[in-house]
Structure formats: C-alpha cells, structure tokens
Amino acid sequence: MTRTDHAAPAVTEHPAPPLVPRAAARRAGRSLRQHPVSRLFWLVPVLATLVAGLYRISTPVLWHDELATLSVVRRPTGALLGMLQNVDAVHGAYYLTLHYWIGIFGDSPAVLRLPTVLAMAAAAGCVALTGKRMFGMRAGLTAGLVFALIPAVTRYAQEARSYAFVVLVAAAAMLLLLRALERPGPVRWLCYGVSVAAAGYLHLVSLVFLGAHAFGAALHWSKEPRNWRIPVGFSAAAGLGVAATYPLIKLGKSQAERQIGWIPEPTLSDLAGIWPQIFSSSMLAPALFLAAAFAWGGDRRRSALFGTVSAVLPVVAIWVISQQADVSYFMPKYLFFVLPAWAVTAGAGIAQVRVRGGMAALLVLAVMVVPDHITMHRPLSHAAYTYPRPMTWFTPLDYRAAAGIVAAGYRPGDAAAYGQQQWALWWGVDMGVEYYLPDRIKLRDVLLGQSGEQRNDLWSALTGDPARALDTLAPPRIWLVSKDDGGDPFTTVPAEYAKVLRDRYRQTEYHQVSGISVALLVHR
C-alpha cells in the first residue's frame, strides 16, 4: 500500500462571502415578495428622523452661518450666480435649491430649515436600506433608528446650510454602490456616478468617501476576480463623477483661503477628540464605537470591515490632507457625511443580540442622548457648532431678542446703525436683527454703503462718508445695534464713524442681550 492510500481527505475551503452576498439578496427579495409590508420597514426611521427634525424647528435663533444663507438666497438668480464667482461657490448648489424653495414657500425659520429636515429623513431611509443590504433587515431597521437618535442628525436637520444634503448624498452613494456591486450594469453605475457628482457639488470635502468606496469595491471584487465589470464600472463612475465637479474644484480652490483659512491645522489630539463633535454627544461616541465592534461578531465580517472603513477612513484622510494642504478642512461639520456609515455599522452590532436585547440597547441610547437633544433645541444652540466642546471664543448672538427690544421702543422715523467693525461684518448683525423685526418695522441703515448684493459678496459694506450720510438722512433717533458683550457701544464702529455719531446724537437707552447691545441715540 502506498503512502497516498492513507492520505488525509482534502479539506474544502469556503471563501468568505462577498460584500453583498447574492444568495442573501435573493432571499431578501423572496421575503419581500411574500411579505410586501416589510418593504416599508425603512419608513420607521424616516418618520422618526422627520419628527425629531420638526420638533421646535423655529426655536433656535438663526446664527450667522444661516444668515449667510439667507443673505444669498433672497437675491435674484443672476446676482446669486455673480456672487458665487467671488465667494461660497462650494455651497452654490444648495443656495440655488433654497433660492427657488423660498420663492414658493417664503423664508420663515421653519420654511428655511424644512428642506434640510426632509434631507435628513431621506438619509435615514438610505441608511436603513444600506444596513439591510449589508447585514439583513433587522440590522437595517436598527441602523436607521440609530441614525435618527444621533444628536448631530437632529441639530443639522434644523440648520439652513448644506450639511444635511451632504449626509443624504453620502448615504445614497453608499447604497447605490452596493446595488452596483450586487449586479454591475451601466444604469446602476451611472446612478452611482451621479451621486458622486452630487456629493461634490454639495460639499467637495465629502468626496474623500471615495477612498472607502474604492476599498469596498476591491473587497467585493476579490471574491469575483473574473468579474471585470466591478473595477471598470467603479473606476468609470467615480472618475466621471469627480470630473463633473472640476469647474467647482477650480473655483473653490481660489476661494478657499478667504473662506476657511482661519481653521487651524489639526493636531493628533484633535483627531482623537473630534468624534464627540461629529456625533454632537460625548456619551454617544464611545457607545457607537462599542456597538460597531459587535458587528464583527457575526458572519458578515467583510460587510463589517467595509462599514468600519467607511466610518473612519474619511476622517483620517481629511486630517492627513489638512496637514499638507494650504488650508485645513478638519471641522466637525465638514465630516458629518460619515454618520450614515457609523449608523449602519453600529446598527449591525446591536442587531447581533436578540430582539429584546436590541430594543433595550436602543432604549439605552435614547436615554443617553436626551440631554444632548434638549441642548440642540435651545434658542442659542446653533452657534455652538463645536458642541459638546465648549465655546470660549465668542458669545452666541441673540438677534431675536435684540429685534424685540427695538420693536418694543420703535417710533415712526427711527433709523438703525449696526455696530460691527468692517472686518467683522460677517457676524450679520444687520441681517439678523432685520430678519426678526416685525414686517411693519422698516429701519433705514444710516451707515450702509453697499449691500452684499451690490458688492457681489456675502455681506454689506459701510458707507465711505458717514457725516454726509447722517446729515442727508438726519433721522430723529437711531438704534445702534452692535456685536458687543458689554461696554461702550460706540467702540463697535470704526473711530471716525463713532465721532460722527457722538457729535450729532446722545445715548438715552442701553440694553444688553447675549452677544448684542442695543443703544438708542437721540438727535442733539
């Protein structure tokens, strides 16, 4: 008998499942056909996010970033496009969307913020569907609910800026990538490429998610190495999506120093400490890290790997880029597009336990973030853009309270002057106070030179001849409303403007609200 007669039987190696297992996809399809109502499971997190976003939507005072939005979207389309050639081109797609929106529905705080609430709700649906594709239906439902619980989701659902739309297209791009990997084809790759272009036009920084998506495509291809439609399709879709944003990349690069040159270069401790700011919760960050770790305990480790890379790699990439680039991009609100990946991975981890255990975990998370959600809905919460990191470098400006003081003491013929040094016009004291004044009150700005629209810029400019302006208008009373934490309101305007005001007017009243002083000047 030869040695080979007693050879051990061959062991068949079972390869790890691909990123989107086809058998699982077919089983999910059969399940949906047998139980049509289950197709609507994603509506649960959509409705939860919608309710959280609509709750007290008008309570937080617009802060100066939202006032920048308001300043732009109220302009005629031609003036809006002209301004984008000078500043804020990276937000142009969002500005145009909101411009047409308020043309139909008005510009109250609730109406201004409603599009972002709807965007976050739609993102919750994408998160649920992504979680289902990667880990199963229960994990998808859990992921969507985790997403709805994240305080940053509620906070930026209620901000009239582009970040909620960035989260939406990032979530949609992840879902569309999985669909294309599951069954590669021109239509599916085209949809993915469109989502990449949309992400770029809403916020160029978000395009770093392509690194994680490339990793996911390679991971899937490694189990189907003969399927060249995967690398070819991904490369073409991602490449064309980025190429479509080239005009914006070129224009945005020329404006970057002015817009974000003030952001400091991040340190290693910043990389470790930014996660609570991304979630807007100190307690939720470690809880989601722990939940995401449990996603590795199931039979979908490749999916867990892709989810983890999608959640972490973009943040690390932006940190590295900010070390090398002329400007830093390392800001929490620029990184919210990783929230869908975190929700998917954490949801998958929670779904590893039994149903009751998963429900208990969600309840614990909900209780954990209650204080953060309460904070998110306070009147001056929007100025705390680094929450939970304390704000020490400026006091939030309560434009609504200042407008209330002016409205209470208003007399026909009154005018206004806004105490904000030329270099600090971006605080938007004039825009904020005028926005919250009743419609019946129209105050002439006696120190206004050119409006932002006339300058093709975000903010207005002071008049070059204050004496002539005051002598021409000669209002009997002027409300001097200033970005001021207390003290002499005349110091909030340039010295030559203060002298002109003092020579012609005397101060008779002084009021202080958060970040703003209101002084009444009466003609001598």
Side-chain angles (χ1 to χ4, degrees):
M1 184 178 293
T2 61
R3 293 174 58 89
T4 56
D5 290 335
H6 296 284
V11 177
T12 303
E13 294 187 2
H14 298 283
L19 192 61
V20 187
R22 292 184 177 179
R26 287 194 294 269
R27 286 195 300 270
R30 285 196 299 269
S31 175
L32 290 176
R33 287 191 294 271
Q34 293 168 5
H35 307 284
V37 176
S38 63
R39 295 182 182 181
L40 303 179
F41 78 98
W42 53 271
L43 275 178
V44 177
V46 167
L47 293 175
T49 306
L50 187 63
V51 170
L54 291 174
Y55 176 67
R56 301 185 71 182
I57 189 172
S58 297
T59 298
V61 176
L62 269 68
W63 75 300
H64 55 262
D65 271 19
E66 292 180 289
L67 293 173
T69 296
L70 186 67
S71 168
V72 175
V73 301
R74 281 177 162 179
R75 304 177 189 187
T77 304
L80 193 162
L81 294 173
M83 187 216 75
L84 296 179
Q85 302 303 309
N86 298 323
V87 65
D88 252 9
V90 292
H91 296 297
Y94 171 71
Y95 286 154
L96 284 168
T97 301
L98 200 60
H99 166 75
Y100 292 111
W101 170 269
I102 70 166
I104 300 172
F105 300 107
D107 61 3
S108 69
V111 170
L112 278 174
R113 292 165 172 165
L114 183 57
T116 48
V117 173
L118 298 175
M120 277 298 194
C126 292
V127 167
L129 292 170
T130 299
K132 170 188 160 298
R133 260 188 158 74
M134 291 175 64
F135 298 100
M137 185 175 297
R138 188 158 72 90
L141 176 59
T142 307
L145 292 175
V146 168
F147 182 80
L149 287 173
I150 297 174
V153 169
T154 300
R155 161 68 179 80
Y156 283 87
Q158 293 187 348
E159 171 139 330
R161 297 293 281 174
S162 63
Y163 306 113
F165 283 92
V166 178
V167 173
L168 170 59
V169 294
M174 193 173 185
L175 176 60
L176 291 169
L177 173 65
L178 295 177
R179 285 176 54 83
L181 293 175
E182 176 188 316
R183 194 163 68 244
V187 174
R188 294 195 174 198
W189 284 122
L190 175 63
C191 292
Y192 175 70
V194 169
S195 70
V196 170
Y201 274 99
L202 285 165
H203 208 272
L204 287 170
V205 173
S206 68
L207 289 178
V208 296
F209 68 58
L210 287 173
H213 286 195
F215 176 83
L219 198 64
H220 193 87
W221 184 46
S222 68
K223 291 304 171 183
E224 301 182 49
R226 296 182 180 180
N227 190 353
W228 286 94
R229 292 181 300 172
I230 292 174
V232 172
F234 175 79
S235 300
L240 290 174
V242 173
T245 66
Y246 175 74
L248 181 60
I249 293 173
K250 185 177 180 180
L251 188 56
K253 185 178 180 181
S254 67
Q255 300 174 0
E257 178 61 37
R258 172 187 170 179
Q259 290 184 233
I260 58 175
W262 57 274
I263 301 176
E265 181 179 307
T267 63
L268 193 58
S269 63
D270 291 328
L271 178 60
I274 199 170
W275 298 103
Q277 297 175 58
I278 291 176
F279 299 117
S280 293
S281 174
S282 295
M283 297 184 67
L284 186 63
L288 290 188
F289 291 169
L290 180 62
F294 276 93
W296 289 75
D299 59 354
R300 302 282 184 88
R301 293 189 177 183
R302 297 171 69 83
S303 294
L305 177 58
F306 175 54
T308 303
V309 170
S310 298
V312 176
L313 180 61
V315 177
V316 176
I318 290 298
W319 183 86
V320 172
I321 291 170
S322 296
Q323 303 292 320
Q324 308 298 325
D326 295 333
V327 294
S328 172
Y329 304 96
F330 202 71
M331 283 278 288
K333 58 186 177 181
Y334 294 171
L335 302 170
F336 289 139
F337 62 88
V338 301
L339 292 176
W342 274 108
V344 167
T345 312
I350 293 172
Q352 289 296 319
V353 301
R354 294 180 179 180
V355 174
R356 290 184 179 179
M359 293 174 63
L362 286 173
L363 182 60
V364 169
L365 290 180
V367 172
M368 188 182 296
V369 297
V370 165
D372 300 308
H373 280 282
I374 291 174
T375 301
M376 295 295 99
H377 291 96
R378 287 176 178 163
L380 299 180
S381 61
H382 278 202
Y385 63 91
T386 61
Y387 179 87
R389 180 184 174 189
M391 296 286 295
T392 57
W393 47 95
F394 78 92
T395 303
L397 277 64
D398 195 343
Y399 306 100
R400 183 165 56 201
I405 293 171
V406 174
Y410 171 78
R411 293 180 188 174
D414 283 359
Y418 296 98
Q420 42 191 1
Q421 296 280 357
Q422 186 73 42
W423 57 267
L425 289 169
W426 57 274
W427 289 104
V429 176
D430 50 353
M431 173 68 71
V433 172
E434 290 170 4
Y435 178 73
Y436 281 108
L437 283 173
D439 292 339
R440 63 180 176 84
I441 298 178
K442 303 295 182 185
L443 295 178
R444 180 82 175 267
D445 184 351
V446 294
L447 297 184
L448 176 65
Q450 286 184 307
S451 66
E453 180 179 334
Q454 291 170 327
R455 300 176 62 231
N456 275 337
D457 210 312
L458 284 171
W459 307 113
S460 58
L462 298 175
T463 178
D465 191 346
R468 180 179 178 184
L470 285 176
D471 292 340
T472 300
L473 298 173
R477 307 196 315 169
I478 296 175
W479 292 95
L480 177 57
V481 187
S482 311
K483 180 195 177 300
D484 184 19
D485 294 329
D488 184 355
F490 288 99
T491 62
T492 64
V493 295
E496 62 271 25
Y497 294 73
K499 183 179 186 306
V500 170
L501 286 170
R502 287 182 187 276
D503 288 347
R504 292 161 176 78
Y505 292 85
R506 59 186 175 87
Q507 179 182 324
T508 61
E509 292 183 26
Y510 180 85
H511 307 269
Q512 182 72 48
V513 298
S514 181
I516 298 179
S517 66
V518 181
L520 179 60
L521 311 181
V522 178
H523 203 287
R524 293 184 183 276

